[in-house]
Amino acid sequence: MLEERDDQVSPPRLIEGTIFDLGLASTLGDLSLYEFQVSASCLGIVVAQIFERYPSVPGVILIEESPDGNPQFLGMISRRQLLEFLIRPQAMELFLPQPLRVLYSYARTSPLILSEDTPIVSAAQQALRRLPELRGEPIVVEIDPLSSSSRSLPYRLLDVHELNIANWQIRGIETQVRFERMQTQIVQIEKMANLGRLVDGVAHEILDPVGFIWGNLTHLSAYSESLINLISVYEAHFSTTPSDIQQIKDEIEFDYIQQDIPQIVKSIQSGAERLKKLATSLQNFCYIDEVHPKPADIHTHLESILLLLKNRISSEIKVIKSYDHIPPVTCYIGQLNQVFMNILTNAIDALVSQAFSEDWAKKYRGNISQNIDKKPTIEITTEVRSPKTKLSSERTPQRWVSIRIADNGPGMSFDEQQKIIESFSTRKRLEKETSLAHSYQIVTGKHGGQFLMQSEPGMGTEFEILLPLV
């Protein structure tokens, strides 16, 4: 058997990492790794001398030749394992003169092998899940074969202490990011609360004069009708009208005024009613939730959101409402209003974008798609039901209020749906909080409900909100 000596073994090589530029997305490839591989036929005394000369090397990777003559990975012996064997009685006389293959047969353990693309946080979690006696062992990092030297296998060693330091550094960065985002959210929430109070005050100031107008319109309508009746009675009792009175009637177009006054009163009533509904919708949307949830009429608030979005829902978009009889839902209605607004806004954007694309294609390309004559539609459906469980077709005894908002827009591809679903996770919300991710958090985290999404390219998108009835 051929034995390797100290001068035949390549010394350990440290590949420096970027520990000062670590971030939440950093991987094991960004850390300092040791490249130290020897043949399993190498004597133990040779590796012991190298460990003594390089005290920071955490271990050695063992390789051996396969039957076809190519080197292959055998295992790893750490510095700690070697020292534990050498402190045993007669161990230095028994193991040092022997090849490492003999020592490895006694100290055989399964090393933790991870790819260099593994996130540092995930690697630290896997390292901590090892047996207590193995948590201090180095980690074998599998790298891109193009990054390793031609004489070595694509494996390097990572000191677990280096991993822990990097993990704590990233945890500190994550904590700082969370703190800064929380501060930003607090400021934003306070701004929105102040804006809500301001809009609520404006709506209240609008409702006061509208109330005066609405209250006096009844009297104005009755008075004008009485005066017209009085004039009609006068005309019935006097067969001839004096010339000066007839002249005034002709100048003011009395006959037209007599017919138009009721229409004017009705128009003022209609405008005042619309203004009252708009101000009430603003108050409902800007409702500031209290500490505890309160019962709310979901249909009333859906109507308020639709009224606020009326300027965006053009005549081209048809809104179908299928409201079932549902009881008041105990909820934070101010936050649910934001969820309804987010979903409806996304649906309107999708339909408007699709209509623009189809108009452009028809005008400049002459293409007429199959759905070009399909009228853009948003359908809102509410009902009380017991949803099916995920594990069986049996329905759960708990009752839920279902609010489904669907559109017949372009729909979403599988990749787009996956991005939205991924944004629902805590980590993705930390990186970038979208309106749908915020809606998911409100429905699931704040109300204990479910936020479901279903979409198919060319067939539209449907969001369903399930709220438990307590």
Side-chain angles (χ1 to χ4, degrees):
M1 181 176 60
L2 180 62
E3 297 178 353
E4 295 190 32
R5 299 186 180 276
D6 188 5
D7 56 356
Q8 296 176 318
V9 176
S10 299
R13 186 166 66 97
L14 176 63
I15 294 90
E16 295 286 350
T18 55
I19 193 169
F20 296 107
D21 296 324
L22 295 179
L24 299 178
S26 297
T27 62
L28 295 183
D30 297 321
L31 300 180
S32 298
L33 304 175
Y34 288 90
E35 186 176 49
F36 184 35
Q37 302 178 8
V38 299
S39 171
S41 61
C42 178
L43 299 181
I45 190 171
V46 174
V47 175
Q49 291 172 351
I50 293 178
F51 279 163
E52 184 177 1
R53 192 180 310 165
Y54 300 93
S56 60
V57 176
V60 59
I61 293 176
L62 302 182
I63 60 176
E64 66 177 358
E65 291 187 359
S66 60
D68 57 2
N70 296 321
Q72 64 180 9
F73 177 81
L74 176 62
M76 184 270 299
I77 296 179
S78 66
R79 174 188 293 269
R80 182 184 64 84
Q81 287 177 320
L82 182 62
L83 292 178
E84 286 180 353
F85 271 91
L86 293 182
I87 62 177
R88 296 179 180 180
Q90 307 298 322
M92 296 187 69
E93 292 79 2
L94 290 175
F95 292 110
L96 287 184
Q98 299 294 328
L100 287 176
R101 186 181 293 105
V102 177
L103 177 62
Y104 183 69
S105 64
Y106 287 95
R108 184 187 299 270
T109 57
S110 298
L112 177 59
I113 304 176
L114 300 175
S115 169
E116 65 173 342
D117 296 329
T118 305
I120 292 177
V121 176
S122 175
Q125 293 173 349
Q126 296 183 57
L128 287 174
R129 284 198 292 265
R130 294 183 294 180
L131 295 175
E133 61 271 16
L134 299 178
R135 288 175 185 170
E137 292 291 286
I139 298 170
V140 178
V141 179
E142 186 175 4
I143 64 172
D144 186 354
L146 299 178
S147 303
S148 61
S149 63
S150 58
R151 296 184 301 169
S152 62
L153 295 176
Y155 295 99
R156 291 173 182 169
L157 289 176
L158 171 63
D159 192 338
V160 71
H161 301 295
E162 176 92 3
L163 174 64
N164 291 333
I165 292 173
N167 181 48
W168 282 112
Q169 182 178 344
I170 291 176
R171 289 297 187 185
I173 296 173
E174 185 177 7
T175 302
Q176 180 66 23
V177 171
R178 287 180 182 272
F179 176 73
E180 293 176 356
R181 182 171 289 273
M182 185 177 298
Q183 283 186 319
T184 304
Q185 288 179 344
I186 291 173
V187 173
Q188 187 68 19
I189 290 171
E190 186 62 26
K191 286 182 179 179
M192 293 302 295
N194 292 333
L195 180 60
R197 296 186 188 98
L198 177 62
V199 174
D200 182 69
V202 172
H204 181 74
E205 292 299 321
I206 293 175
L207 284 175
D208 280 346
V210 168
F212 299 148
I213 296 173
W214 186 264
N216 290 321
L217 275 175
T218 303
H219 302 295
L220 177 61
S221 178
Y223 295 161
S224 60
E225 185 177 352
S226 299
L227 290 174
I228 291 175
N229 290 334
L230 178 62
I231 295 173
S232 300
V233 172
Y234 266 101
E235 290 180 342
H237 282 79
F238 295 96
S239 56
T240 59
T241 305
S243 59
D244 54 347
I245 295 177
Q246 186 63 44
Q247 182 179 356
I248 294 175
K249 289 178 63 176
D250 294 339
E251 289 177 355
I252 65 174
E253 298 181 353
F254 176 76
D255 294 336
Y256 175 77
I257 292 176
Q258 188 176 7
Q259 297 176 1
D260 196 43
I261 282 180
Q263 301 299 326
I264 292 175
V265 173
K266 288 182 181 179
S267 298
I268 296 174
Q269 285 179 333
S270 177
E273 184 177 5
R274 289 179 60 188
L275 189 57
K276 182 179 179 181
K277 288 182 178 180
L278 178 61
T280 303
S281 299
L282 283 174
Q283 283 187 322
N284 290 336
F285 181 72
C286 297
Y287 179 82
I288 301 175
D289 291 314
E290 299 181 3
V291 177
H292 302 289
K294 288 188 174 182
D297 185 356
I298 297 296
H299 293 161
T300 300
H301 289 271
L302 282 170
E303 290 297 320
S304 298
I305 301 300
L306 289 173
L307 183 59
L308 292 178
L309 293 173
K310 189 174 182 180
N311 65 321
R312 295 205 59 202
I313 303 176
S314 62
S315 58
E316 300 295 328
I317 300 177
K318 181 181 179 181
V319 178
I320 301 176
K321 292 174 284 189
S322 302
Y323 293 161
D324 199 357
H325 297 288
I326 61 175
V329 180
T330 302
C331 60
Y332 298 94
I333 192 60
Q335 298 184 36
L336 282 182
N337 283 337
Q338 188 62 57
V339 174
F340 300 150
M341 177 70 78
N342 292 340
I343 296 176
L344 287 170
T345 301
N346 276 277
I348 294 171
D349 290 341
L351 292 174
V352 171
S353 176
Q354 176 179 260
F356 176 80
S357 300
E358 290 178 347
D359 289 343
W360 185 89
K362 183 177 181 181
K363 183 176 181 180
Y364 295 100
R365 295 184 179 178
N367 296 337
I368 301 179
S369 63
Q370 296 179 354
N371 299 327
I372 200 158
D373 295 327
K374 179 179 64 176
K375 186 172 181 63
T377 304
I378 295 176
E379 185 172 359
I380 305 175
T381 307
T382 62
E383 63 176 341
V384 177
R385 66 184 183 90
S386 298
K388 295 181 180 180
T389 61
K390 296 181 179 179
L391 299 179
S392 66
S393 59
E394 298 180 358
R395 295 184 176 272
T396 58
Q398 185 180 17
R399 293 194 308 159
W400 301 73
V401 169
S402 169
I403 304 109
R404 297 197 304 274
I405 301 176
D407 65 76
N408 61 348
M412 292 181 286
S413 64
F414 178 77
D415 293 338
E416 291 174 328
Q417 295 181 54
Q418 286 299 114
K419 289 180 181 179
I420 293 177
I421 294 174
E422 288 176 1
S423 71
F424 294 164
S425 67
T426 304
R427 180 172 295 277
K428 291 296 182 180
R429 286 206 306 271
L430 179 66
E431 297 175 0
K432 182 180 180 182
E433 186 167 353
T434 63
S435 61
L436 291 179
H438 184 58
S439 301
Y440 175 85
Q441 193 275 331
I442 290 175
V443 174
T444 60
K446 199 73 175 179
H447 293 85
Q450 298 181 31
F451 189 81
L452 309 177
M453 179 185 68
Q454 183 178 358
S455 183
E456 186 176 345
M459 301 298 293
T461 304
E462 178 182 287
F463 289 93
E464 182 176 16
I465 301 167
L466 290 172
L467 300 174
L469 282 176
V470 293

